[in-house]
Amino acid sequence: MRAEAMVAHLKGVGDAAVAAHSQRFFKTGAGEYGEGDRFLGIRVPVLRQLARRHKAMALAEVKRLLKSPYHEARLLALLMLVDKYQRGNEARRDEIYTHYLGHTRHINNWDLVDTSAPHIVGRHLLAGEKRILHQLAASDSLWERRIAMIATFTFIRHHQFDTALAIADQLRSDPEDLIHKAVGWMLREVGKRDRDRLKRFLFSRYQEMPRTLLRYAIERFPTPERKAYLAGTI
């Protein structure tokens, strides 16, 4: 199937009420983080089903689909790219990873990042050089900074915490709430696997952390300990 035909299909199964809700939920108004994004009104399970049904779609067409002005088309493209990355040989994985980083302007909302960054960027860098994540974390793009943080979820799942903590340290003073949430989420994931390591990281930093970030990071702590962190009395 060609990209244009897929977009036509998506338009046919969209729901205007769902689209209107998504426009609000993903903050597409003037000055908001998703400003100008367009929705067709298709829920994620439907898109996942389509990705499975059309997994043979040519990579070139999936790349074209990623450039769609419609949010669900880009999400579908990313679901397909993740699948093709997982099933691909080394050359195909290199191609998808390179294309992904070259087209981050189309990966421009938190769900698009979270669906794809660990499975493409994180997986590609798991056993190699990770300097690119620090470059992304220093980007002017909110979404590239979130990619840098969320990609480390793959490392965390493999009990490799150093890069995740380094990126968290780099981003802990970020001005954007969506980055606070991403950093706090990844710190919480570190803590689920090694709470002492997380506590050592927090010890000299927690009093200066944005409140949202800290709340996410310590969400799994016992209530008295969580209250002590929030009160600044650790």
Short mmCIF file of all heavy atoms in Angstrom, two decimals, residues 180 184 187 202 206-207 209-219 226 229-232:
data_model
loop_
_atom_site.label_atom_id
_atom_site.label_comp_id
_atom_site.label_asym_id
_atom_site.label_seq_id
_atom_site.Cartn_x
_atom_site.Cartn_y
_atom_site.Cartn_z
N HIS A 180 10.26 17.50 32.54
CA HIS A 180 10.25 17.13 33.97
C HIS A 180 9.60 15.76 34.14
O HIS A 180 10.11 14.91 34.89
CB HIS A 180 9.46 18.15 34.78
CG HIS A 180 9.98 19.55 34.69
ND1 HIS A 180 9.26 20.63 35.14
CD2 HIS A 180 11.14 20.05 34.18
CE1 HIS A 180 9.95 21.73 34.93
NE2 HIS A 180 11.09 21.40 34.34
N GLY A 184 11.56 12.46 35.45
CA GLY A 184 11.05 11.81 36.65
C GLY A 184 10.63 10.38 36.41
O GLY A 184 10.90 9.49 37.23
N LEU A 187 13.80 8.26 36.10
CA LEU A 187 14.40 8.09 37.42
C LEU A 187 13.60 7.07 38.24
O LEU A 187 14.18 6.24 38.96
CB LEU A 187 14.48 9.42 38.16
CG LEU A 187 15.49 10.43 37.61
CD1 LEU A 187 15.41 11.74 38.40
CD2 LEU A 187 16.91 9.87 37.65
N LEU A 202 19.65 11.37 43.89
CA LEU A 202 18.77 12.42 44.39
C LEU A 202 19.39 13.25 45.51
O LEU A 202 19.06 14.42 45.67
CB LEU A 202 17.46 11.80 44.91
CG LEU A 202 16.52 11.17 43.89
CD1 LEU A 202 15.36 10.48 44.61
CD2 LEU A 202 16.02 12.19 42.89
N TYR A 206 17.90 16.79 44.88
CA TYR A 206 16.44 16.78 44.97
C TYR A 206 15.85 18.12 45.41
O TYR A 206 14.74 18.48 45.00
CB TYR A 206 15.96 15.65 45.89
CG TYR A 206 16.01 15.95 47.37
CD1 TYR A 206 14.89 16.42 48.05
CD2 TYR A 206 17.19 15.74 48.10
CE1 TYR A 206 14.93 16.67 49.41
CE2 TYR A 206 17.24 15.99 49.45
CZ TYR A 206 16.10 16.46 50.11
OH TYR A 206 16.15 16.73 51.46
N GLN A 207 16.57 18.88 46.23
CA GLN A 207 16.02 20.14 46.71
C GLN A 207 15.89 21.19 45.62
O GLN A 207 15.11 22.13 45.75
CB GLN A 207 16.86 20.67 47.87
CG GLN A 207 16.75 19.82 49.13
CD GLN A 207 17.60 20.34 50.27
OE1 GLN A 207 18.71 20.82 50.05
NE2 GLN A 207 17.09 20.25 51.48
N MET A 209 15.23 20.26 42.36
CA MET A 209 14.48 19.68 41.25
C MET A 209 13.09 20.30 41.14
O MET A 209 12.47 20.60 42.16
CB MET A 209 14.33 18.17 41.44
CG MET A 209 15.58 17.37 41.15
SD MET A 209 15.28 15.60 41.43
CE MET A 209 16.80 14.93 40.74
N PRO A 210 12.58 20.46 39.91
CA PRO A 210 11.19 20.86 39.77
C PRO A 210 10.27 19.88 40.48
O PRO A 210 10.54 18.67 40.52
CB PRO A 210 10.97 20.81 38.24
CG PRO A 210 12.34 20.97 37.66
CD PRO A 210 13.27 20.30 38.62
N ARG A 211 9.20 20.37 41.06
CA ARG A 211 8.33 19.55 41.89
C ARG A 211 7.76 18.35 41.13
O ARG A 211 7.70 17.24 41.66
CB ARG A 211 7.19 20.42 42.41
CG ARG A 211 6.70 20.07 43.78
CD ARG A 211 7.78 20.28 44.79
NE ARG A 211 7.24 20.18 46.15
CZ ARG A 211 7.99 20.12 47.22
NH1 ARG A 211 9.29 20.15 47.08
NH2 ARG A 211 7.46 20.04 48.42
N THR A 212 7.33 18.57 39.90
CA THR A 212 6.76 17.47 39.12
C THR A 212 7.79 16.37 38.91
O THR A 212 7.49 15.18 39.07
CB THR A 212 6.26 17.98 37.76
OG1 THR A 212 5.20 18.91 37.97
CG2 THR A 212 5.74 16.84 36.90
N LEU A 213 9.01 16.76 38.56
CA LEU A 213 10.07 15.79 38.34
C LEU A 213 10.30 14.95 39.60
O LEU A 213 10.36 13.72 39.55
CB LEU A 213 11.36 16.54 37.94
CG LEU A 213 12.54 15.73 37.41
CD1 LEU A 213 13.53 16.67 36.70
CD2 LEU A 213 13.26 14.95 38.48
N LEU A 214 10.42 15.61 40.73
CA LEU A 214 10.69 14.90 41.98
C LEU A 214 9.54 13.97 42.34
O LEU A 214 9.76 12.83 42.76
CB LEU A 214 10.94 15.90 43.11
CG LEU A 214 11.26 15.30 44.49
CD1 LEU A 214 12.50 14.42 44.43
CD2 LEU A 214 11.42 16.41 45.52
N ARG A 215 8.32 14.44 42.18
CA ARG A 215 7.16 13.59 42.51
C ARG A 215 7.14 12.32 41.66
O ARG A 215 6.86 11.23 42.18
CB ARG A 215 5.86 14.38 42.30
CG ARG A 215 5.59 15.43 43.36
CD ARG A 215 4.23 16.09 43.13
NE ARG A 215 4.00 17.18 44.06
CZ ARG A 215 3.53 17.02 45.30
NH1 ARG A 215 3.24 15.80 45.74
NH2 ARG A 215 3.33 18.05 46.09
N TYR A 216 7.42 12.46 40.40
CA TYR A 216 7.49 11.28 39.53
C TYR A 216 8.60 10.34 40.00
O TYR A 216 8.42 9.12 40.05
CB TYR A 216 7.75 11.69 38.08
CG TYR A 216 6.51 11.95 37.26
CD1 TYR A 216 5.57 12.90 37.64
CD2 TYR A 216 6.29 11.26 36.08
CE1 TYR A 216 4.44 13.16 36.87
CE2 TYR A 216 5.16 11.50 35.30
CZ TYR A 216 4.25 12.44 35.70
OH TYR A 216 3.14 12.68 34.93
N ALA A 217 9.76 10.88 40.32
CA ALA A 217 10.93 10.06 40.65
C ALA A 217 10.72 9.23 41.91
O ALA A 217 11.18 8.09 42.01
CB ALA A 217 12.16 10.94 40.79
N ILE A 218 10.04 9.80 42.90
CA ILE A 218 9.91 9.14 44.20
C ILE A 218 8.53 8.50 44.40
O ILE A 218 8.17 8.12 45.52
CB ILE A 218 10.19 10.13 45.35
CG1 ILE A 218 9.16 11.28 45.34
CG2 ILE A 218 11.61 10.68 45.25
CD1 ILE A 218 9.31 12.24 46.52
N GLU A 219 7.80 8.35 43.33
CA GLU A 219 6.42 7.86 43.42
C GLU A 219 6.32 6.51 44.11
O GLU A 219 5.34 6.23 44.81
CB GLU A 219 5.84 7.77 42.01
CG GLU A 219 4.36 7.49 41.95
CD GLU A 219 3.86 7.49 40.52
OE1 GLU A 219 3.95 6.44 39.86
OE2 GLU A 219 3.41 8.54 40.05
N ARG A 226 8.69 9.67 51.10
CA ARG A 226 8.26 10.57 50.02
C ARG A 226 7.96 11.95 50.58
O ARG A 226 8.36 12.98 50.01
CB ARG A 226 7.04 9.97 49.32
CG ARG A 226 6.72 10.62 48.00
CD ARG A 226 5.70 9.82 47.21
NE ARG A 226 4.42 9.73 47.87
CZ ARG A 226 3.91 8.61 48.38
NH1 ARG A 226 4.59 7.48 48.31
NH2 ARG A 226 2.71 8.62 48.96
N TYR A 229 11.19 13.85 51.35
CA TYR A 229 11.81 14.43 50.15
C TYR A 229 11.08 15.70 49.75
O TYR A 229 11.71 16.72 49.46
CB TYR A 229 11.77 13.42 49.00
CG TYR A 229 12.96 12.50 48.94
CD1 TYR A 229 12.87 11.20 49.43
CD2 TYR A 229 14.17 12.91 48.40
CE1 TYR A 229 13.94 10.33 49.36
CE2 TYR A 229 15.26 12.05 48.33
CZ TYR A 229 15.15 10.77 48.82
OH TYR A 229 16.23 9.93 48.78
N LEU A 230 9.77 15.66 49.74
CA LEU A 230 8.99 16.82 49.30
C LEU A 230 9.11 17.99 50.29
O LEU A 230 9.01 19.15 49.88
CB LEU A 230 7.52 16.43 49.13
CG LEU A 230 7.25 15.46 47.98
CD1 LEU A 230 5.80 14.99 48.00
CD2 LEU A 230 7.58 16.10 46.63
N ALA A 231 9.37 17.66 51.54
CA ALA A 231 9.57 18.71 52.55
C ALA A 231 11.01 19.21 52.60
O ALA A 231 11.32 20.17 53.30
CB ALA A 231 9.16 18.20 53.93
N GLY A 232 11.90 18.52 51.89
CA GLY A 232 13.31 18.92 51.86
C GLY A 232 14.06 18.57 53.12
O GLY A 232 15.04 19.23 53.46
#
